[in-house]
Amino acid sequence: MKYGILGDIHGNLSALEEVLRCMDLEGIDRLLSVGDVIGYGAAPRECIRHLQERSAHVVLGNHDAACIDRLDVTTFNNYARAAVLWTKGVLTREDRAWIGKLPMTVHLEHCSVAHGTLHKPELYDYIQSTTDADPSLDEMPLPVCFVGHSHVPVALLRLREDPTRTYYTKEPVIDTEEAYRALVNVGSVGQPRDEDPRAAYAIFDTEAGHVRIQRVEYDIQREMRRIREAGLPEMLAARLEWGV
Ligand code: ZN
C-alpha cells in the first residue's frame, strides 16, 4: 500500500496541484491530509474540492476549525486572523458542512493521522522536541503516525533495538521496519517554514517499509499573484518565496 500524505495546504492551489501531479506519477493508493487545508492562501475552495474528489482522509486543523467558528482566533497572529476572516467570506455552506465533519484523528490500517499531537489533538500543541513527542508516541495504536502544524518536516522515532529512547531526525527517509514507533511531521504543502520554499509532502510505502519526505518546486509567483489579487496581507504572499 502506498499512502500520499499532505501537510498544511493552507489554500495554496499551485502547490497542491504540483504535489498531486507528483503523487499521480508515483501511484498512490490512499491520500491523507494532516489538516489546515485552508487559511492563509487564496484558493481554499479549490483545495477542498481536490481532497473531496480524491476521497482523502482529512483531519481538522486549527485554521480549518477557526474558519467555521469552532476555534477562537485570539491566539492567532494578525495575518492569520485576517486570512481566517477572508476565508470565512468565501466558503459556502457546503464547504463549512464538510469541514464540520472532519475528525480530530484518523486511524487506518497502517497509520494514524492528527494535526498537532495525537494524545490531545484538540489542544493544537506543537511537537518540536522529543519531550513534546513522548505523550503521542506513548499513545500511538499503530507503528506510524503523521502530523503537521509546525510546517517543518521532522520525525520522532523509537527504534526496535531500544524502544525506551526517543530520537529526533530531519533525515528525509525513515525506515519503518527499524522503528517501533515513528511520529512523522510531513512539513507543509502550501506554506513551508524551514527556509526551503519548495512544497513538502510524504509517501509511505508499506511494502518497501519506508516513509519519504519529498520536496517539489511549484509556481510560487502565480500563487503570490493570487494572494495579492484576493486582497490578503502582502506578508502572506512574500513568505512563500522565503519559505518561512
Ligand atoms: Zn498550519
Side-chain angles (χ1 to χ4, degrees):
M1 172 87 77
K2 261 194 197 177
Y3 295 90
I5 309 101
L6 304 163
D8 298 74
I9 300 162
H10 282 296
N12 183 333
L13 184 61
S14 305
L16 177 60
E17 286 183 338
E18 186 55 31
V19 167
L20 290 175
R21 198 184 64 79
C22 295
M23 285 187 175
D24 286 343
L25 291 174
E26 180 104 27
I28 291 300
D29 301 302
R30 275 196 195 174
L31 189 63
L32 316 179
S33 157
V34 305
D36 275 4
V37 176
I38 59 174
Y40 291 131
R45 302 198 59 223
E46 294 83 345
C47 292
I48 290 174
R49 211 65 64 237
H50 273 298
L51 298 189
Q52 289 171 334
E53 275 167 18
R54 289 165 183 256
S55 307
H57 296 269
V58 187
V59 295
L60 185 75
N62 54 323
H63 287 255
D64 307 320
C67 289
I68 56 163
D69 297 311
R70 196 74 84 72
L71 191 76
D72 187 25
V73 291
T74 44
T75 59
F76 281 38
N77 65 43
N78 289 344
Y79 307 117
R81 233 182 355 247
V84 166
L85 264 182
W86 180 90
T87 306
K88 279 163 78 169
V90 300
L91 293 180
T92 63
R93 205 154 47 116
E94 289 74 22
D95 296 329
R96 285 195 297 274
W98 181 79
I99 297 164
K101 288 193 193 121
L102 297 179
M104 295 305 296
T105 55
V106 167
H107 302 284
L108 298 163
E109 195 185 339
H110 303 92
C111 55
S112 305
V113 186
H115 186 64
T117 67
L118 184 71
H119 73 292
K120 284 201 172 127
E122 68 286 353
L123 296 183
Y124 292 116
D125 287 332
Y126 292 88
I127 294 179
Q128 287 167 319
S129 66
T130 56
T131 317
D132 297 339
D134 280 333
S136 287
L137 285 162
D138 288 343
E139 287 195 20
M140 279 169 58
L142 293 159
V144 179
C145 178
F146 297 104
V147 294
H149 198 33
S150 71
H151 300 205
V152 175
V154 59
L156 288 306
L157 306 173
R158 286 185 186 161
L159 304 181
R160 286 188 188 282
E161 56 186 31
D162 178 11
T164 61
R165 201 174 145 193
T166 306
Y167 295 86
Y168 176 105
T169 178
K170 290 200 163 181
E171 278 298 312
V173 182
I174 297 121
D175 185 334
T176 51
E177 305 287 298
E178 258 178 31
Y180 164 72
R181 293 277 183 272
L183 180 64
V184 184
N185 188 319
V186 296
S188 172
V189 170
Q191 198 191 82
R193 291 182 193 158
D194 58 350
E195 297 179 11
D196 180 346
R198 294 176 301 165
Y201 64 100
I203 304 286
F204 177 23
D205 186 333
T206 60
E207 255 139 68
H210 57 59
V211 173
R212 270 178 293 131
I213 305 286
Q214 317 256 80
R215 304 302 288 253
V216 63
E217 285 182 16
Y218 70 95
D219 193 343
I220 293 179
Q221 295 303 326
R222 183 171 63 178
E223 211 54 33
M224 289 170 75
R225 276 198 301 278
R226 207 194 309 267
I227 287 172
R228 287 174 180 138
E229 280 162 17
L232 282 159
E234 169 59 24
M235 170 63 178
L236 297 181
R239 70 189 301 176
L240 295 184
E241 210 168 22
W242 304 328
V244 295

Coordinates of all heavy atoms in Angstrom, one line a residue, residues 109-163:
E109 N -5.3 1.4 8.3 CA -4.7 0.0 8.5 C -3.3 0.1 9.0 O -2.9 -0.7 9.9 CB -4.8 -0.7 7.2 CG -4.6 -2.2 7.3 CD -4.5 -2.8 5.9 OE1 -5.1 -2.2 4.9 OE2 -3.9 -3.9 5.7
H110 N -2.5 1.0 8.5 CA -1.1 1.1 8.8 C -0.6 2.3 9.6 O 0.5 2.4 10.0 CB -0.2 1.0 7.5 CG -0.5 -0.2 6.6 ND1 -1.4 -0.1 5.6 CD2 0.0 -1.4 6.6 CE1 -1.5 -1.3 5.0 NE2 -0.6 -2.1 5.6
C111 N -1.5 3.3 9.7 CA -1.0 4.5 10.3 C -2.2 5.4 10.8 O -3.3 5.1 10.5 CB -0.2 5.4 9.3 SG -1.1 5.7 7.7
S112 N -1.8 6.3 11.7 CA -2.8 7.3 12.2 C -2.4 8.7 11.7 O -1.3 8.9 11.3 CB -2.7 7.3 13.8 OG -2.9 6.0 14.3
V113 N -3.4 9.6 11.8 CA -3.2 11.0 11.4 C -3.8 11.9 12.4 O -4.9 11.7 12.9 CB -3.9 11.2 10.0 CG1 -3.6 12.6 9.5 CG2 -3.6 10.1 9.0
A114 N -3.0 13.0 12.7 CA -3.6 14.0 13.6 C -3.0 15.4 13.1 O -2.0 15.4 12.3 CB -3.2 13.8 15.1
H115 N -3.4 16.5 13.6 CA -2.9 17.8 13.2 C -1.6 18.2 14.0 O -0.5 18.3 13.5 CB -3.9 18.9 13.2 CG -3.4 20.2 12.6 ND1 -3.0 20.3 11.3 CD2 -3.1 21.4 13.1 CE1 -2.5 21.5 11.0 NE2 -2.6 22.2 12.2
G116 N -1.8 18.4 15.3 CA -0.7 18.8 16.2 C -0.1 17.7 16.9 O 1.0 17.3 16.7
T117 N -0.9 17.1 17.9 CA -0.4 15.9 18.6 C -1.5 14.9 18.5 O -2.7 15.2 18.3 CB -0.2 16.2 20.1 OG1 -1.5 16.5 20.7 CG2 0.7 17.4 20.3
L118 N -1.1 13.6 18.8 CA -2.1 12.5 18.7 C -2.8 12.4 20.1 O -4.0 12.1 20.2 CB -1.4 11.2 18.4 CG -2.4 10.0 18.2 CD1 -3.2 10.2 16.9 CD2 -1.6 8.7 18.2
H119 N -2.1 12.7 21.2 CA -2.6 12.4 22.5 C -3.7 13.4 22.9 O -4.6 13.1 23.6 CB -1.5 12.2 23.6 CG -0.9 13.5 24.0 ND1 -0.1 14.2 23.1 CD2 -0.9 14.2 25.1 CE1 0.3 15.3 23.7 NE2 -0.1 15.3 24.9
K120 N -3.5 14.7 22.5 CA -4.5 15.7 22.9 C -4.7 16.6 21.6 O -4.4 17.8 21.7 CB -4.1 16.5 24.1 CG -4.3 15.8 25.4 CD -4.3 16.7 26.6 CE -4.7 15.9 27.8 NZ -3.8 16.0 28.9
P121 N -5.3 16.1 20.6 CA -5.3 16.8 19.3 C -6.1 18.1 19.4 O -5.8 19.1 18.7 CB -6.0 15.8 18.3 CG -6.7 14.8 19.2 CD -6.0 14.7 20.5
E122 N -7.1 18.2 20.3 CA -8.0 19.4 20.4 C -7.2 20.6 21.0 O -7.7 21.7 20.9 CB -9.2 19.1 21.2 CG -9.0 18.8 22.7 CD -8.4 17.4 23.0 OE1 -8.2 16.6 22.1 OE2 -8.1 17.2 24.2
L123 N -6.0 20.4 21.6 CA -5.2 21.5 22.1 C -4.4 22.2 21.1 O -3.9 23.2 21.3 CB -4.4 21.0 23.3 CG -5.1 20.5 24.5 CD1 -4.1 20.1 25.6 CD2 -6.1 21.5 25.0
Y124 N -4.2 21.5 19.9 CA -3.3 22.0 18.9 C -1.9 22.5 19.4 O -1.5 23.6 19.1 CB -4.0 23.2 18.1 CG -5.2 22.6 17.3 CD1 -6.5 23.0 17.6 CD2 -5.0 21.7 16.3 CE1 -7.6 22.6 16.9 CE2 -6.1 21.3 15.5 CZ -7.4 21.7 15.9 OH -8.5 21.2 15.2
D125 N -1.3 21.6 20.2 CA 0.1 21.9 20.6 C 1.0 21.5 19.5 O 0.7 20.7 18.6 CB 0.4 21.0 21.9 CG -0.3 21.5 23.1 OD1 -0.6 22.7 23.2 OD2 -0.6 20.7 24.0
Y126 N 2.2 22.0 19.6 CA 3.3 21.7 18.6 C 4.2 20.6 19.1 O 4.5 20.6 20.3 CB 4.1 23.0 18.3 CG 3.3 24.0 17.6 CD1 2.6 25.0 18.3 CD2 3.3 24.1 16.2 CE1 1.9 26.0 17.6 CE2 2.6 25.1 15.5 CZ 1.9 26.0 16.3 OH 1.2 27.0 15.6
I127 N 4.7 19.8 18.2 CA 5.7 18.8 18.5 C 7.0 19.3 17.9 O 7.2 19.2 16.7 CB 5.3 17.4 18.0 CG1 4.1 16.9 18.8 CG2 6.5 16.4 18.2 CD1 3.6 15.5 18.4
Q128 N 7.9 19.8 18.8 CA 9.2 20.3 18.2 C 10.4 19.7 19.0 O 11.5 20.0 18.7 CB 9.2 21.8 18.4 CG 8.3 22.5 17.4 CD 8.0 24.0 17.7 OE1 7.8 24.3 18.8 NE2 8.0 24.8 16.6
S129 N 10.1 18.8 19.9 CA 11.2 18.1 20.6 C 10.8 16.7 21.0 O 9.6 16.4 20.9 CB 11.5 18.9 21.9 OG 10.4 18.8 22.8
T130 N 11.7 15.9 21.5 CA 11.4 14.6 21.9 C 10.4 14.6 23.1 O 9.6 13.8 23.2 CB 12.7 13.8 22.3 OG1 13.4 14.5 23.3 CG2 13.6 13.6 21.1
T131 N 10.6 15.6 23.9 CA 9.7 15.7 25.1 C 8.3 16.0 24.6 O 7.3 15.4 25.2 CB 10.2 16.9 26.0 OG1 11.6 16.8 26.1 CG2 9.5 16.8 27.4
D132 N 8.1 16.9 23.7 CA 6.8 17.1 23.1 C 6.2 15.9 22.5 O 4.9 15.7 22.6 CB 6.8 18.2 22.0 CG 7.3 19.5 22.4 OD1 7.3 19.8 23.6 OD2 7.8 20.3 21.5
A133 N 7.0 15.0 21.9 CA 6.5 13.9 21.2 C 6.2 12.7 22.1 O 5.3 11.9 21.7 CB 7.6 13.4 20.2
D134 N 6.8 12.6 23.2 CA 6.6 11.4 24.1 C 5.2 11.0 24.4 O 4.8 9.8 24.2 CB 7.5 11.5 25.3 CG 8.9 11.1 25.0 OD1 9.2 10.4 24.1 OD2 9.8 11.6 25.7
P135 N 4.3 11.9 24.8 CA 2.9 11.5 25.1 C 2.2 10.9 23.9 O 1.4 10.0 24.0 CB 2.2 12.8 25.6 CG 3.4 13.7 26.0 CD 4.5 13.3 25.1
S136 N 2.5 11.5 22.7 CA 1.8 11.0 21.5 C 2.4 9.6 21.1 O 1.7 8.7 20.8 CB 2.0 11.9 20.3 OG 1.2 13.1 20.5
L137 N 3.7 9.5 21.3 CA 4.4 8.2 21.0 C 3.8 7.1 21.9 O 3.6 6.0 21.5 CB 5.9 8.3 21.1 CG 6.6 9.0 19.9 CD1 8.0 9.5 20.4 CD2 6.7 8.2 18.7
D138 N 3.6 7.5 23.2 CA 3.1 6.5 24.2 C 1.7 6.0 23.8 O 1.4 4.9 24.0 CB 3.0 7.2 25.5 CG 4.3 7.4 26.2 OD1 5.3 6.8 25.7 OD2 4.4 8.2 27.1
E139 N 0.9 6.9 23.2 CA -0.5 6.5 22.9 C -0.8 6.0 21.5 O -1.9 5.7 21.1 CB -1.4 7.7 23.2 CG -1.5 7.9 24.7 CD -2.7 8.9 25.0 OE1 -3.6 9.1 24.2 OE2 -2.6 9.4 26.2
M140 N 0.3 6.0 20.6 CA 0.1 5.5 19.3 C -0.4 4.1 19.2 O 0.2 3.2 19.7 CB 1.4 5.7 18.5 CG 1.6 7.1 18.0 SD 3.3 7.3 17.3 CE 3.4 6.1 16.0
P141 N -1.6 3.8 18.6 CA -2.1 2.5 18.5 C -1.5 1.7 17.3 O -1.6 0.5 17.3 CB -3.6 2.7 18.3 CG -3.7 4.0 17.6 CD -2.5 4.8 18.0
L142 N -0.8 2.4 16.4 CA -0.2 1.8 15.3 C 1.3 2.3 15.2 O 1.6 3.3 15.8 CB -0.9 2.3 14.0 CG -2.4 1.8 13.9 CD1 -3.2 2.6 12.9 CD2 -2.3 0.3 13.4
P143 N 2.1 1.6 14.5 CA 3.6 2.0 14.5 C 3.9 3.3 13.9 O 4.9 3.9 14.1 CB 4.2 0.9 13.7 CG 3.2 -0.2 13.6 CD 1.9 0.4 13.7
V144 N 3.0 3.9 13.0 CA 3.3 5.1 12.3 C 2.2 6.1 12.5 O 1.0 5.7 12.4 CB 3.5 4.8 10.8 CG1 3.8 6.1 10.0 CG2 4.6 3.8 10.5
C145 N 2.5 7.4 12.7 CA 1.5 8.4 12.9 C 2.1 9.7 12.2 O 3.2 10.0 12.3 CB 1.3 8.8 14.3 SG 0.1 10.1 14.6
F146 N 1.2 10.3 11.4 CA 1.6 11.5 10.7 C 0.9 12.8 11.3 O -0.3 12.7 11.6 CB 1.2 11.4 9.2 CG 1.9 10.3 8.5 CD1 1.2 9.2 8.2 CD2 3.2 10.5 8.1 CE1 1.8 8.1 7.5 CE2 3.9 9.4 7.5 CZ 3.2 8.3 7.2
V147 N 1.7 13.8 11.5 CA 1.2 15.1 12.0 C 1.7 16.2 11.1 O 2.5 16.0 10.2 CB 1.6 15.3 13.5 CG1 0.9 14.3 14.4 CG2 3.1 15.3 13.6
G148 N 1.3 17.5 11.4 CA 1.7 18.7 10.7 C 1.8 19.8 11.7 O 2.5 19.7 12.7
H149 N 1.2 20.9 11.4 CA 1.0 22.1 12.3 C 2.2 23.0 12.4 O 2.1 24.2 12.4 CB 0.6 21.6 13.7 CG 0.0 22.6 14.6 ND1 -0.8 23.6 14.2 CD2 0.1 22.7 16.0 CE1 -1.1 24.3 15.3 NE2 -0.6 23.8 16.3
S150 N 3.5 22.5 12.6 CA 4.7 23.4 12.7 C 5.2 23.8 11.3 O 6.0 24.7 11.2 CB 5.8 22.7 13.4 OG 6.3 21.6 12.6
H151 N 4.8 23.1 10.2 CA 5.2 23.3 8.9 C 6.7 23.0 8.7 O 7.3 23.5 7.7 CB 4.9 24.8 8.4 CG 3.5 25.2 8.5 ND1 3.0 26.2 7.7 CD2 2.4 24.7 9.2 CE1 1.7 26.3 7.9 NE2 1.3 25.5 8.8
V152 N 7.3 22.2 9.6 CA 8.7 21.8 9.5 C 8.8 20.3 9.5 O 8.4 19.7 10.5 CB 9.5 22.4 10.6 CG1 10.9 21.9 10.6 CG2 9.5 23.9 10.6
P153 N 9.3 19.7 8.4 CA 9.4 18.2 8.4 C 10.4 17.7 9.4 O 11.5 18.2 9.4 CB 9.8 17.9 6.9 CG 10.2 19.2 6.3 CD 9.7 20.3 7.1
V154 N 10.0 16.7 10.2 CA 10.9 16.2 11.2 C 10.2 14.8 11.6 O 9.0 14.7 11.5 CB 11.1 17.1 12.4 CG1 9.7 17.5 13.0 CG2 12.0 16.6 13.4
A155 N 11.1 13.9 12.1 CA 10.5 12.6 12.6 C 11.0 12.4 14.0 O 12.2 12.7 14.3 CB 10.9 11.5 11.7
L156 N 10.1 11.8 14.9 CA 10.4 11.4 16.2 C 10.3 9.9 16.2 O 9.2 9.4 15.9 CB 9.5 12.1 17.2 CG 9.6 13.6 17.5 CD1 11.1 13.9 17.9 CD2 9.2 14.5 16.3
L157 N 11.4 9.2 16.6 CA 11.4 7.8 16.5 C 11.7 7.1 17.8 O 12.5 7.6 18.6 CB 12.5 7.4 15.4 CG 12.4 8.0 14.1 CD1 13.6 7.7 13.3 CD2 11.2 7.6 13.3
R158 N 11.1 5.9 17.9 CA 11.6 4.9 18.9 C 12.0 3.7 18.1 O 11.1 3.2 17.4 CB 10.5 4.6 19.9 CG 10.3 5.8 20.9 CD 9.3 5.4 22.0 NE 9.0 6.6 22.8 CZ 8.0 6.7 23.6 NH1 7.0 5.8 23.6 NH2 7.8 7.8 24.3
L159 N 13.2 3.2 18.3 CA 13.7 2.1 17.5 C 13.4 0.8 18.2 O 13.4 0.7 19.4 CB 15.2 2.3 17.2 CG 15.5 3.6 16.5 CD1 17.0 3.7 16.3 CD2 14.8 3.8 15.2
R160 N 13.3 -0.3 17.4 CA 13.1 -1.6 17.9 C 14.2 -2.0 18.9 O 13.9 -2.7 19.9 CB 13.0 -2.6 16.8 CG 11.7 -2.5 16.0 CD 11.5 -3.7 15.0 NE 10.4 -3.4 14.2 CZ 9.1 -3.6 14.6 NH1 8.9 -4.1 15.8 NH2 8.1 -3.3 13.8
E161 N 15.4 -1.6 18.5 CA 16.6 -2.1 19.3 C 16.5 -1.4 20.7 O 17.1 -2.0 21.7 CB 17.9 -1.8 18.6 CG 18.0 -0.3 18.3 CD 19.3 0.0 17.4 OE1 19.7 -0.9 16.6 OE2 19.8 1.1 17.5
D162 N 15.9 -0.3 20.9 CA 15.8 0.4 22.2 C 14.6 1.3 22.3 O 14.6 2.5 22.1 CB 17.1 1.2 22.6 CG 16.9 1.9 23.9 OD1 16.0 1.5 24.7 OD2 17.8 2.8 24.2
P163 N 13.4 0.7 22.5 CA 12.1 1.4 22.4 C 11.9 2.4 23.6 O 11.0 3.2 23.6 CB 11.0 0.4 22.4 CG 11.7 -0.9 22.6 CD 13.1 -0.8 22.7

